[in-house]
Amino acid sequence: MTWLADTRTSYDTVAVQYSDQVRNSPTENPYVRSTLALFADLVSGGPVADVGCGPGHVTAHLRKLGLDAFGIDLSPGMVDVARREYPDTRFAIGSMTDLPLADASLGGLITWWSLIHVPAEELPGVFAHFRRVLRPGGTLLVGFHEGDRINRKTQGYGGLPMNVHVHLHPVARMRTWLTAAGFAVESETVLTPADKAPAAIVFAR
């Protein structure tokens, strides 16, 4: 798929710069900090996958909260950075479109702004994989840009070139996809920062 190749290449290109920018983000924003703490409380046991983990900053934070968290990312460059930054944490290369995990093997799964480059027509298949790998009652946390448009991103972190599309979705549409995949949506929150697109956070089981 062209979009997968473009996403992989783009994030390989900006991996170091992106890591420098987001390293402290799990603790800087109180809403993010409290959301991740709630996720840690809701996971009832078993390993947790951070799918689309990027440079591993959220994965590492979840481990500090007591979870057996590991990361998966499409970009080898991002995984290299994550392994270097957090050598005691497991990271693997993989795609959420063909998730390399066993059925019912996870207690929790987080996809933290890593769905934003996935075309809408691919999301039902992605959520089917999430449902497959989670145990019954397992907790899913989804963070994404809220809206109803597609933006093209040609320049990224550190001014380096990228070639990705950024998909914004209404919360109601995300809920429909999750329900169709077999999830029960338990909580929906929309944050509205003054200088950025609204941020949506959804908890489901």
Side-chain angles (χ1 to χ4, degrees):
M1 301 178 202
T2 301
W3 69 269
L4 273 175
D6 288 342
T7 302
R8 181 185 297 110
T9 300
S10 293
Y11 280 96
D12 281 348
T13 301
V14 303
V16 172
Q17 290 77 11
Y18 182 77
S19 178
D20 289 342
Q21 181 168 322
V22 303
R23 184 176 292 110
N24 298 319
S25 61
T27 57
E28 287 177 339
N29 184 304
Y31 297 101
V32 170
R33 189 168 63 245
S34 62
T35 296
L36 296 178
L38 176 58
F39 176 68
D41 286 343
L42 291 174
V43 173
S44 59
V48 170
D50 180 4
V51 178
C53 65
H57 56 300
V58 172
T59 320
H61 184 74
L62 293 175
R63 290 181 64 82
K64 289 179 180 178
L65 294 174
L67 295 178
D68 177 19
F70 65 96
I72 298 174
D73 200 86
L74 178 68
S75 161
M78 284 289 189
V79 171
D80 285 346
V81 170
R83 288 170 174 166
R84 186 166 61 248
E85 293 266 351
Y86 310 105
D88 296 329
T89 302
R90 293 171 290 152
F91 296 99
I93 299 167
S95 172
M96 64 180 68
T97 61
D98 188 18
L99 205 54
L101 297 171
D103 295 359
S105 59
L106 300 179
L109 189 153
I110 178 173
T111 175
W112 200 242
W113 272 264
S114 53
L115 294 173
I116 62 173
H117 303 305
V118 181
E121 63 270 19
E122 300 287 344
L123 284 175
V126 168
F127 289 137
H129 272 293
F130 291 175
R131 174 67 181 83
R132 175 183 63 78
V133 301
L134 277 165
R135 297 172 183 169
T139 303
L140 174 67
L141 174 57
V142 182
F144 58 100
H145 296 308
E146 202 277 340
D148 195 7
R149 66 181 188 274
I150 302 172
N151 301 328
R152 187 177 176 218
K153 188 178 182 72
T154 59
Q155 187 179 67
Y157 311 91
L160 295 172
M162 298 184 74
N163 182 30
V164 292
H165 288 87
V166 179
H167 300 263
L168 288 73
H169 300 292
V171 172
R173 186 181 301 156
M174 192 66 69
R175 184 193 321 127
T176 297
W177 282 322
L178 288 167
T179 301
F183 287 98
V185 174
E186 295 188 337
S187 174
E188 301 169 345
T189 303
V190 177
L191 308 179
T192 55
D195 57 340
K196 298 179 182 178
I201 297 168
V202 174
F203 283 91
R205 291 188 188 274

